[in-house]
């Protein structure tokens, strides 16, 4: 193992001049970039995201976005094309760089701006804002302008969000109030249109129908009684020629005559016409009839009886007609009530639907009213800046020392890169070489063990000449490469621009 290392080290030292040329080229390029890249300054400012001044359990703001989310939106607004171009022109960020397109300006400005959003803890956190420029004053001015824009955008976004929330709930309350009034008008119109067939009148209608049915039964009884009375009156008049005159319209003789006629009729039912009692009653009746006939005239009795009969018949017929008319009216009213009762279930369903819609709209209205009160409180909180806010802790000041490039780091990195390139080149050459260089290779490859090895012998002049050439080559590379890079930097294109072009071509 040690022998192999010694062998490879000798091989490396034998080609050290080539590797030294490569190493010098890499280090020269890195060192030239380190000392020719323009100095840039990065001014930094710090912001603090404060938690709400009023506890949420007492009065909450309607802007519920997290600080990181708000800062992301603010960053997108700041990084608009027009704003970046306007800032670059106002602060002369590219006054020494000619012929830059608008896209290049926007991309470069976006790369120069750094906004580090915080990890929020209980709604608070630090925000770092910085801007990189070739001038410390320009860096500080642009950074402070970014602070102003962040604060302005934060206030504008929060007040705008609170105002839009308040406007939404105001419109929602107005809309629901209008719908509530329209739905109430529909319910009132329906109730007025179907006032006789509503659920609240169903019990009254049923009790009214029951009362009307009882009244019809009573009318039927009265109708039957009057009809029977009329039939009996007709039969009595046809059989006896008498009517049931009232006592108030009769004279004493007529009342006595009526009594005697009644007794005679009763006696005839029991006794024969020749019975003495019957004969006595007939004699008394005839005597009273003669006396009454003498008082009123010969046709007065028949005429009076006929008139009394007609009056009673007419009175009974009038009562019967009145009862019939009353029964028809009651039946018509019952038909109306039954129609209303039958229509009540369907009306109840429709009315219930209208009332449910009214209740739903009212619930939405109540909820919107509560939201409106919260929106007004939230808008008031944001207008007074009592909610979550962003305040400046430290403004950007002009930096005394450039932030980049780190020349020592670049030189150290170029030295390390040169060493890696040399090692990689050495390993690549050894892997690609197929010649036999050691006796052990003869044994391994051919299976033959050599008796002895004879080294290559050179004289002193060849060694001196070779070393002189190597020294001249190394000096030429060490001096020529920096001179070429300096010529390109000063006469052709700045190395910083070349590096940027390469970076864009590679896509880094």
């Amino acid at each position: 193992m040690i022998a192999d290392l010694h062998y490879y080290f000798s091989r490396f030292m034998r080609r050290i001049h080539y590797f030294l040329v490569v190493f010098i080229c890499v280090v020269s390029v890195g060192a030239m970039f380190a000392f020719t890249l323009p100095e840039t300054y990065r001014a930094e400012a710090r912001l603090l995201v404060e938690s709400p001044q009023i506890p949420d359990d007492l009065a909450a703001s309607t802007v519920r976005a997290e600080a990181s989310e708000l800062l992301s939106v603010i960053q997108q607004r700041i990084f608009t094309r027009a704003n970046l171009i306007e800032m670059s022109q106002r602060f002369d960020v590219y006054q020494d760089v000619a012929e830059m397109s608008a896209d290049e300006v926007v991309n470069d400005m976006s790369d120069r701006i750094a906004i580090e959003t915080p990890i929020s803890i209980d709604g608070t956190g630090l925000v770092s804002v910085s801007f990189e420029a070739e001038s410390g004053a320009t860096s500080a001015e642009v950074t402070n302008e970014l602070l102003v824009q962040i604060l302005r955008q934060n206030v504008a976004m929060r007040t705008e969000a609170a105002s839009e929330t308040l406007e939404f709930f105001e419109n929602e309350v107005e809309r629901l109030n209008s719908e509530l009034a329209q739905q109430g008008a529909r319910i009132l119109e329906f109730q007025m249109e179907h006032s006789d067939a509503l659920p609240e009148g169903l019990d009254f209608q049923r009790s009214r129908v029951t009362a009307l049915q009882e009244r019809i039964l009573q009318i039927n009884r009265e109708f039957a009684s009057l009809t029977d009375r009329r039939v009996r009156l007709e039969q009595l008049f046809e059989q006896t020629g008498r009517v049931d005159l009232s006592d108030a319209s009769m004279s004493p003789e007529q009342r006595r005559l009526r009594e005697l006629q009644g007794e005679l009729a009763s006696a005839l039912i029991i006794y024969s016409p020749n019975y003495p009692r019957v004969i006595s009653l007939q004699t008394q009746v005839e005597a009273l009839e003669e006396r009454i006939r003498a008082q009123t005239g010969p046709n007065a009795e028949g005429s009076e009886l006929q008139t009394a009969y007609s009056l009673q018949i007419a009175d009974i017929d009038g009562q019967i007609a009145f009862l019939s008319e009353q029964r028809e009216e009651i039946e018509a009213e019952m038909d109306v009530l039954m129609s209303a009762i039958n229509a009540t279930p369907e009306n109840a369903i429709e009315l219930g639907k209208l009332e449910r819609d009214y209740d739903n709209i009212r619930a939405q209205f109540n909820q919107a009213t509560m939201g409106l009160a919260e929106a007004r409180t939230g808008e008031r909180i944001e207008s007074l800046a009592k909610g979550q806010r962003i305040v400046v802790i430290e403004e950007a000041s002009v930096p005394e020392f450039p932030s980049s490039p780190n020349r020592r780091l670049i030189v150290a990195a170029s030295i390390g890169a040169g060493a890696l390139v040399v090692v990689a080149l050495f390993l690549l050459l050894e892997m690609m070489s197929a010649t036999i260089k050691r006796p052990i290779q003869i044994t391994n490859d051919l299976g033959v063990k050599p008796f002895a090895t004879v080294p290559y012998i050179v004289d002193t002049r060849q060694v001196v000449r070779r070393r002189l050439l190597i020294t001249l080559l190394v000096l030429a590379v060490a001096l020529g490469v920096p001179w070429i890079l300096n010529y390109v930097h000063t006469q052709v294109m700045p190395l910083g621009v070349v590096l940027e072009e390469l970076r864009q071509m590679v896509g880094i």
Side-chain angles (χ1 to χ4, degrees):
M1 181 66 181
I2 297 176
D4 289 339
L5 292 175
H6 179 74
Y7 166 74
Y8 284 114
F9 180 74
S10 64
R11 294 279 298 173
F12 179 81
M13 294 302 297
R14 191 177 301 171
R15 300 177 181 176
I16 187 64
H17 51 285
Y18 301 114
F19 298 141
L20 191 60
V21 169
V22 175
F23 179 78
I24 291 174
C25 291
V26 174
V27 173
S28 298
V29 173
M32 194 65 186
F33 272 106
F35 290 100
T36 57
L37 288 175
E39 293 182 344
T40 58
Y41 296 83
R42 182 173 288 276
E44 184 177 359
R46 292 189 299 171
L47 301 171
L48 177 64
V49 180
E50 293 184 343
S51 59
Q53 305 295 310
I54 302 175
D56 288 341
D57 54 352
L58 296 179
S61 173
T62 53
V63 183
R64 305 294 175 85
E66 295 291 337
S68 58
E69 181 181 353
L70 285 176
L71 288 172
S72 298
V73 177
I74 292 173
Q75 184 173 351
Q76 294 302 320
R77 292 189 175 187
I78 293 176
F79 280 23
T80 57
R81 182 185 183 91
N83 186 56
L84 293 178
I85 293 175
E86 191 273 335
M87 280 197 300
S88 67
Q89 294 175 352
R90 178 150 53 98
F91 297 102
D92 294 331
V93 178
Y94 301 104
Q95 58 180 348
D96 297 332
V97 180
E99 297 181 356
M100 287 187 67
S101 64
D103 292 337
E104 292 175 344
V105 170
V106 170
N107 293 331
D108 188 66
M109 287 289 291
S110 300
D111 294 336
R112 290 170 181 259
I113 298 173
I115 300 177
E116 297 179 2
T117 56
I119 299 176
S120 179
I121 301 176
D122 297 331
T124 62
L126 289 174
V127 182
S128 175
V129 181
S130 61
F131 181 79
E132 187 179 56
E134 284 74 13
S135 170
T138 302
S139 175
E141 290 175 354
V142 176
T143 302
N144 288 327
E145 174 63 20
L146 291 174
L147 287 184
V148 172
Q149 292 191 12
I150 289 174
L151 296 177
R152 185 169 60 246
Q153 290 289 346
N154 178 61
V155 173
M157 287 177 56
R158 297 187 72 88
T159 54
E160 181 182 357
S163 299
E164 289 179 354
T165 303
L166 177 60
E167 182 181 0
F168 168 78
F169 278 105
E170 287 177 346
N171 295 333
E172 193 70 5
V173 168
E174 183 178 357
R175 179 184 67 84
L176 291 173
N177 190 27
S178 176
E179 291 186 4
L180 201 62
Q182 293 176 2
Q183 190 67 18
R186 294 192 191 99
I187 294 175
L188 180 60
E189 181 181 359
F190 183 84
Q191 289 177 338
M192 293 181 65
E193 183 179 355
H194 304 86
S195 58
D196 55 346
L198 294 177
E200 54 267 20
L202 185 60
D203 294 337
F204 170 76
Q205 291 167 349
R206 288 175 176 172
S207 61
R208 179 61 178 168
V209 168
T210 302
L212 291 177
Q213 288 175 346
E214 294 177 355
R215 177 58 181 159
I216 286 179
L217 292 176
Q218 183 180 359
I219 289 174
N220 290 335
R221 287 194 295 268
E222 293 178 0
F223 188 85
S225 176
L226 290 173
T227 304
D228 182 64
R229 181 181 172 188
R230 189 178 189 282
V231 171
R232 286 189 289 106
L233 183 61
E234 290 178 349
Q235 292 177 354
L236 178 62
F237 186 77
E238 291 177 356
Q239 292 177 2
T240 63
R242 293 183 294 108
V243 295
D244 191 12
L245 294 174
S246 60
D247 294 340
S249 60
M250 296 180 182
S251 62
E253 290 82 1
Q254 289 176 340
R255 286 195 296 271
R256 179 59 183 164
L257 176 61
R258 183 176 179 182
E259 294 175 358
L260 293 175
Q261 288 175 346
E263 293 178 3
L264 176 61
S266 300
L268 287 173
I269 295 173
I270 301 173
Y271 305 107
S272 65
N274 298 321
Y275 190 73
R277 176 63 178 166
V278 173
I279 295 172
S280 175
L281 289 173
Q282 286 178 349
T283 303
Q284 293 178 14
V285 167
E286 291 176 358
L288 283 174
E289 287 178 353
E290 286 294 335
R291 189 184 305 171
I292 294 171
R293 191 180 298 113
Q295 294 175 357
T296 59
N299 297 323
E301 182 180 0
S303 174
E304 184 180 355
L305 293 174
Q306 186 67 34
T307 302
Y309 171 75
S310 300
L311 290 175
Q312 291 192 23
I313 291 296
D315 179 61
I316 293 173
D317 290 340
Q319 294 182 35
I320 291 174
F322 173 75
L323 291 175
S324 299
E325 182 180 352
Q326 192 175 18
R327 183 171 59 182
E328 290 177 358
E329 292 177 356
I330 293 174
E331 290 176 351
E333 184 180 355
M334 286 182 61
D335 293 338
V336 173
L337 290 173
M338 292 304 298
S339 300
I341 291 173
N342 294 331
T344 298
E346 182 177 355
N347 293 338
I349 295 173
E350 185 65 24
L351 182 61
K353 180 181 177 182
L354 293 174
E355 290 177 345
R356 283 193 301 271
D357 293 341
Y358 181 86
D359 293 338
N360 292 334
I361 297 174
R362 187 171 187 83
Q364 296 178 15
F365 176 78
N366 293 335
Q367 186 175 1
T369 303
M370 295 174 60
L372 177 60
E374 294 179 0
R376 286 174 176 167
T377 303
E379 196 271 340
R380 182 66 176 169
I381 289 174
E382 293 301 331
S383 64
L384 296 176
K386 297 299 182 180
Q388 188 182 65
R389 60 180 181 175
I390 300 176
V391 296
V392 178
I393 295 180
E394 182 180 355
E395 293 186 353
S397 58
V398 179
E400 297 181 359
F401 303 100
S403 59
S404 65
N406 190 340
R407 305 186 192 280
R408 294 180 180 179
L409 180 62
I410 294 176
V411 172
S414 65
I415 293 174
L420 288 176
V421 170
V422 168
V423 173
L425 181 61
F426 171 73
L427 294 177
L428 181 63
L429 292 175
E430 289 297 319
M431 293 175 60
M432 294 179 62
S433 177
T435 60
I436 296 176
K437 307 175 187 65
R438 293 190 294 170
I440 192 172
Q441 289 181 330
I442 298 176
T443 303
N444 293 335
D445 296 341
L446 303 178
V448 178
K449 186 174 182 181
F451 293 102
T453 59
V454 178
Y456 180 76
I457 300 174
V458 294
D459 58 6
T460 305
R461 287 195 307 173
Q462 289 177 337
V463 172
V464 172
R465 185 171 64 251
R466 182 171 180 272
R467 289 179 177 176
L468 180 61
L469 291 174
I470 292 173
T471 302
L472 292 176
L473 178 62
V474 171
L475 288 175
V477 172
L479 297 176
V481 171
W483 181 85
I484 293 172
L485 292 174
N486 183 65
Y487 178 80
V488 172
H489 176 71
T490 57
Q491 302 297 326
V492 181
M493 183 182 296
L495 292 181
V497 178
V498 175
L499 184 63
E500 182 64 23
E501 293 290 339
L502 292 176
R503 186 181 67 84
Q504 292 181 0
M505 290 175 59
V506 176
I508 300 177

